[in-house]
Amino acid sequence: MIGALLKRDLGKFFPFTGGGAALPVVFFVAVAMLYPFAVGPDQELLGRTGGGIVWIAALLAAILPLEKLVAQDIELGTFDQLRLRGFTEEIMMAVRLLAHWLSFGPPLILAAFPAAALLALDGPSLHLLLLGLLAGTPGLAAIGLIIAALTASLRAGAALSGLMLIPLALPILIFGAGALARQDQASLGFVAAISLTLVAIAPFAAGAAIRAARDV
Amino acid sequence: MQGSPNPKLIANALACRRGDRLLFRGLSFELGEGEALHITGANGTGKTTLIRALGGLTTPYAGSVICKGELGLLDERTGLDPDQPLGKSLDFWQRIDGCRDPSGALKVLGLEPLLDVPVRYLSTGQRKRAGLAALLNRGVPIWLLDEPLSGLDVAAIEQVTALIALHIGGGGTALIASHQTLAIDGLRTLAIEDFAPMDEPA
């Protein structure tokens, strides 16, 4: 039963399949493509600042799918029907978190290869960037899910969720991009720790949020 | 009927609020095997709120609900994905419900020619029938129906009424909130306005 739910959620959010949007990945690559045009083709400058730009692009790309993430299924009554079939909100949100991450984390990690080439990142930097994205994107997905669930019943929810994600995602950005600046893998441990905590909290926080949205 | 052999749905002195306004209070009833209750009332009197409270989707302000047997809900939000063809949309719920033979319900409700049509192109009545098909395929003993006849044409109203009667005749239980009249034998009626609070605050 949970497999069927995951399959549906993936079909809904995975890029290039059915209703899924490829926008976050396109957006991510577009930023990496435009940045050299904006600052000029100075290899040394690009290599030094490129990693940070990739992180900013990843963070902003995480905002794009939020609008559709939870609100639509509240409106359609999907969560109500699942609840009547014995699913708890926590399970629904855990499945949604997994589907959300799968649909933007791994594609973003793959897109980091062309992005690194465009920004003239060297081998060790690319290595740190990939590890960082692997550690950081689950956290970004978890923050996104919590915010999407909290703002689902608000009219200006989509605009608000973008604003709310930025401060909450700052620690991931600081430690993730910091690892690149200092060429030091250690701070990625912090990124992973923050991500794990957020992933553990997200199903409960988002589940409580969609339960509360029913009473409005 | 599948599920528990002796379904029961009991409301004990239920009271529900919407926002700060008390909609009804002291509402009690008991429904058992083969029994159906028609909840009547004007718009905004709390029919939908009552159904959602009975389904456990919202917590009642006071009172309690006892439910023996699985509940199925049909309201205006069917949970069918508007971007998917009807067949795929129903498929998802069939997989969740472990329904092996969905064709019976589709045939009875005349949905077979619509399976390739995206849900967003369906009319209100067609969507309602699709929701009812999903409910039929679940095979649950207790039905909560919120305005099951709205948006249906005359033929479909007859058909849906007959399906409800068949469900009750087979030992099922149904609670139907509707402002339309229902031609079902042995149907009890409960006017929700009788339970509205007396001293309406200004």
Side-chain angles (χ1 to χ4, degrees):
Chain A
M1 270 171 41
I2 287 182
L5 187 57
L6 182 64
K7 201 175 149 212
R8 171 196 180 267
D9 281 3
L10 270 178
K12 231 170 144 45
F13 299 114
F14 204 75
F16 313 113
T17 62
L23 202 58
V25 179
V26 173
F27 180 85
F28 179 79
V29 177
V31 171
M33 213 163 66
L34 291 173
Y35 185 65
F37 286 109
V39 299
D42 179 350
Q43 287 250 348
E44 199 252 334
L45 177 69
L46 281 178
R48 199 151 39 79
T49 57
I53 286 296
V54 172
W55 266 99
I56 293 176
L59 200 153
L60 294 178
I63 295 177
L64 292 174
L66 293 192
E67 194 181 350
K68 275 181 79 182
L69 197 54
V70 176
Q72 199 189 15
D73 278 315
I74 290 188
E75 221 153 274
L76 288 176
T78 314
F79 295 137
D80 291 351
Q81 291 291 340
L82 285 169
R83 170 63 191 271
L84 282 159
R85 286 158 167 86
F87 285 85
T88 62
E89 282 77 7
E90 284 75 14
I91 294 281
M92 297 175 212
M93 288 295 106
V95 171
R96 179 80 23 125
L97 175 61
L98 184 60
H100 175 41
W101 180 73
L102 283 174
S103 62
F104 102 94
L108 228 54
I109 291 169
L110 283 179
F113 285 98
L118 288 163
L119 296 168
L121 296 186
D122 56 14
S125 294
L126 176 61
H127 177 74
L128 283 174
L129 180 65
L130 292 175
L131 275 181
L133 286 177
L134 186 64
T137 44
L140 291 179
I143 298 173
L145 181 74
I146 297 173
I147 290 174
L150 277 172
T151 57
S153 54
L154 304 178
R155 244 184 316 133
L160 194 62
S161 56
L163 282 178
M164 283 171 71
L165 184 126
I166 289 168
L168 290 172
L170 267 184
I172 293 179
L173 178 71
I174 289 170
F175 289 115
L180 281 166
R182 273 176 276 110
Q183 294 287 317
D184 170 19
Q185 210 168 310
S187 69
L188 292 182
F190 279 108
V191 177
I194 296 166
S195 267
L196 279 177
T197 313
L198 287 166
V199 166
I201 296 171
F204 299 98
I210 60 170
R211 258 197 308 273
R214 287 207 184 104
D215 286 324
V216 175
Chain B
M1 277 291 118
Q2 293 158 314
S4 77
N6 198 359
K8 261 198 174 12
L9 182 65
I10 302 165
N12 279 325
L14 270 189
C16 282
R17 288 194 309 181
R18 188 169 175 80
D20 286 335
R21 204 163 63 89
L22 190 63
L23 292 168
F24 54 83
R25 45 133 193 64
L27 193 148
S28 304
F29 63 80
E30 195 175 328
L31 279 177
E33 197 179 337
E35 289 184 304
L37 184 64
H38 181 192
I39 306 281
T40 61
N43 295 337
T45 45
K47 298 193 296 289
T48 298
T49 310
L50 171 65
I51 284 210
R52 292 177 69 76
L54 291 170
L57 294 171
T58 55
T59 322
Y61 179 53
S64 61
V65 177
I66 299 165
C67 174
K68 229 183 92 197
E70 262 192 282
L71 282 168
L73 169 74
L74 173 71
D75 59 8
E76 58 183 21
R77 302 182 296 176
T78 50
L80 296 171
D81 191 334
D83 302 327
Q84 297 277 351
L86 177 64
K88 274 189 98 176
S89 235
L90 283 170
D91 251 11
F92 162 65
W93 291 110
Q94 279 152 23
R95 269 199 303 274
I96 292 276
D97 296 331
C99 170
R100 278 170 300 277
D101 183 26
S103 54
L106 297 177
K107 188 171 255 158
V108 168
L109 288 157
L111 291 167
E112 277 169 330
L114 299 173
L115 290 180
D116 292 330
V117 181
V119 172
R120 65 172 179 280
Y121 293 134
L122 296 182
S123 72
T124 316
Q126 287 168 336
R127 219 170 293 184
K128 189 128 261 174
R129 279 175 5 224
L132 194 65
L135 178 65
L136 276 172
N137 284 335
R138 279 189 71 192
V140 292
I142 306 174
W143 286 5
L144 299 175
L145 309 173
D146 190 5
E147 298 290 356
L149 303 183
S150 71
L152 296 182
D153 57 32
V154 180
I157 286 181
E158 259 173 45
Q159 204 176 35
V160 170
T161 314
L163 279 172
I164 299 170
L166 194 70
H167 173 70
I168 302 162
T173 295
L175 183 128
I176 307 136
S178 175
H179 57 261
Q180 277 150 298
T181 46
L182 284 156
I184 296 172
D185 287 337
L187 187 69
R188 281 152 56 194
T189 307
L190 186 147
I192 205 163
E193 274 117 342
D194 294 347
F195 299 91
M198 298 297 175
D199 46 339
E200 189 73 38

